[in-house]
């Protein structure tokens, strides 16, 4: 297990941008997956993007073109850059990690370590 702490959420107007960060409590000994999820009130948690240790990234189709994800050189920090935000992007955003993952998906069931979340609110 690893502890994850998200930051960077806030309130923005539609069309604005935010960059979320997630810091892991330790480095990973080998291949790993980190991912972003979000959950709006009354809705199920949904995948946003995933990032493999080797750099391969996956973004869900509905967010392609507006969202990118990356990890820093240490692989401990995961970023989510969100542009042209819409009110429907309002949600709690969570970071998750699969410390031994090699194929990184945006399925919540793959991930065993979760952060507490950071709130993103987009007003029209």
């Amino acid at each position: 297990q690893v502890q994850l702490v998200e930051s960077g959420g806030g309130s923005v107007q539609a069309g604005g941008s935010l960059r979320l960060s997630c810091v892991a409590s330790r480095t990973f000994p080998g291949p790993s997956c980190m991912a972003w999820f979000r959950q709006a009130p009354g809705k199920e948690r949904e995948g946003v993007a995933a990032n493999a240790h080797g750099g391969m990234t996956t973004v869900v189709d509905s967010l392609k073109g507006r969202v990118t994800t990356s990890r820093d050189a240490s692989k401990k920090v995961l970023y989510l850059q969100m542009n042209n935000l819409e009110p429907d992007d309002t949600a709690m955003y969570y970071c998750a990690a699969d410390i031994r993952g090699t194929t990184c998906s945006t399925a919540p069931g793959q991930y065993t370590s979760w952060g507490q979340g950071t709130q993103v609110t987009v007003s029209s």
Side-chain angles (χ1 to χ4, degrees), residues 6-17:
E6 304 97 333
S7 62
S11 297
V12 297
Q13 290 190 327
S17 298

Side-chain angles (χ1 to χ4, degrees), residues 1-112:
Q1 297 291 337
V2 61
Q3 283 70 52
L4 303 168
V5 178
E6 304 97 333
S7 62
S11 297
V12 297
Q13 290 190 327
S17 298
L18 281 175
R19 189 191 196 202
L20 308 185
S21 300
C22 169
V23 181
S25 58
R26 61 179 176 85
T27 56
F28 301 101
S32 62
C33 296
M34 295 183 77
W36 288 100
F37 295 84
R38 67 183 184 182
Q39 188 166 17
K43 295 186 177 181
E44 293 187 356
R45 189 167 297 189
E46 63 176 357
V48 174
N51 192 298
H53 191 98
M56 183 174 292
T57 63
T58 301
V59 177
V60 297
D61 287 345
S62 61
L63 295 173
K64 284 180 179 176
R66 297 198 297 121
V67 165
T68 58
T69 182
S70 61
R71 290 167 79 168
D72 77 336
S74 73
K75 306 300 182 182
K76 285 179 56 178
V77 185
L78 177 70
Y79 300 103
L80 183 70
Q81 178 68 43
M82 301 188 292
N83 300 319
N84 195 21
L85 284 161
E86 303 170 354
D88 284 348
D89 295 318
T90 295
M92 185 72 78
Y93 283 71
Y94 297 93
C95 173
D98 172 3
I99 63 173
R100 294 182 178 85
T102 54
T103 301
C104 305
S105 76
T106 54
Q110 175 178 353
Y111 298 87
T112 55

